[in-house]
Amino acid sequence: MADVETAASPPNAGADPVIDDGEEAESKEIMLMKQRVAEMEAEAQKLRELQAAAEANNVSGEDGGSAMETEEDKAAADSRSVYVGNVDYSATPEEIQMHFQACGTINRVTILCDKFTGHPKGYAYVEFAEPEHIDAALAMDNSLFRGRLIKVTAKRTNIPGFNRGRGRGGGYRGGYRGNYRGYSPYGRGRGR
């Protein structure tokens, strides 16, 4: 039995250094993982600080006037703008600006495009620097632009929620309603 014990003890003795190497490797991996976690936490803290600084800038920007337009700003811009209809599809904002340049200083020319295809819809809006320039622009109604007679009117301001339809399923507009069963040569059917 002593032989068995001595035979069994050398593998244990040999296994101890291997386990130590494994423990050292595991401890090195754990140390690397802890180091990575510490780096990630430091990055997360930096991101939190940057986000807080950005939010603080946004709050201070809103108090002193921001890029977002208020309803009053939109109404004022609409009062300085004209609608231009029947615009050639290949017209550019620069060409429209050149056409209306004689009316006054132009802030912006907007050609509306279809959101699915990206092609122009055939009308545009011209915003002037002063509301007085609109009268000169309205005088250009039915003028010739790229071989087409354009329609120039004052831009109207949409009222939110006004004339937005009847909602889902509201109002009968004609068409099939589901009651008509067609002609039957056998009368009205059973029980009717």
Side-chain angles (χ1 to χ4, degrees), residues 91-133:
T92 63
E94 291 80 18
E95 292 172 333
I96 295 174
Q97 184 174 358
M98 293 296 292
H99 188 74
F100 286 96
Q101 193 171 12
C103 301
T105 307
I106 296 173
N107 283 350
R108 173 175 45 189
V109 176
T110 307
I111 297 176
L112 276 82
C113 296
D114 184 83
K115 64 181 174 181
F116 299 111
T117 63
H119 298 300
K121 289 185 174 183
Y123 60 92
Y125 293 103
V126 179
E127 180 186 333
F128 291 98
E130 299 295 326
E132 294 80 31
H133 301 312

Side-chain angles (χ1 to χ4, degrees), residues 58-166:
N58 285 344
V59 169
S60 66
E62 289 174 4
D63 295 339
S66 67
M68 298 298 290
E69 293 183 354
T70 63
E71 292 299 320
E72 295 84 23
D73 294 340
K74 290 179 183 177
D78 287 350
S79 69
R80 298 188 311 260
S81 301
V82 292
Y83 163 85
V84 183
N86 198 26
V87 175
D88 187 43
Y89 292 111
S90 60
T92 63
E94 291 80 18
E95 292 172 333
I96 295 174
Q97 184 174 358
M98 293 296 292
H99 188 74
F100 286 96
Q101 193 171 12
C103 301
T105 307
I106 296 173
N107 283 350
R108 173 175 45 189
V109 176
T110 307
I111 297 176
L112 276 82
C113 296
D114 184 83
K115 64 181 174 181
F116 299 111
T117 63
H119 298 300
K121 289 185 174 183
Y123 60 92
Y125 293 103
V126 179
E127 180 186 333
F128 291 98
E130 299 295 326
E132 294 80 31
H133 301 312
I134 288 183
D135 295 329
L138 292 177
M140 297 187 77
D141 189 23
N142 290 324
S143 64
L144 199 62
F145 175 71
R146 295 192 76 175
R148 299 176 124 190
L149 291 176
I150 57 172
K151 178 73 176 166
V152 181
T153 59
K155 183 180 179 189
R156 62 179 177 83
T157 303
N158 284 338
I159 301 169
F162 185 76
N163 196 18
R164 294 290 295 176
R166 289 172 293 280

